[in-house]
Amino acid sequence: MVRIILWLLAAWLVITVLGAVIKGVFWLAVIGGVLFLGTAAYGAIKSSKRPKGIKGP
């Protein structure tokens, strides 16, 4: 699960940077930023609910 979240964060970061660099696609930067923050929040919530000491997939 952590790997999926990390891959999503990387993808959203790339989309955000591309949207900021390429003129005319500012909306891509906005969408990438929103998705990045949403995925980071989801990952933080899921990791805080996992019991300490139990290792899982």
Side-chain angles (χ1 to χ4, degrees):
M1 183 69 160
V2 174
R3 283 186 180 175
I4 294 171
I5 291 173
L6 290 176
W7 276 105
L8 284 174
L9 287 173
W12 304 148
L13 189 61
V14 167
I15 289 173
T16 303
V17 170
L18 283 176
V21 170
I22 301 171
K23 267 189 175 175
V25 287
F26 179 71
W27 57 270
L28 194 62
V30 172
I31 291 172
V34 169
L35 291 173
F36 182 87
L37 292 176
T39 305
Y42 177 78
I45 290 169
K46 290 296 265 186
S47 69
S48 69
K49 288 185 179 181
R50 175 185 270 175
K52 306 293 184 203
I54 296 177
K55 293 183 180 179

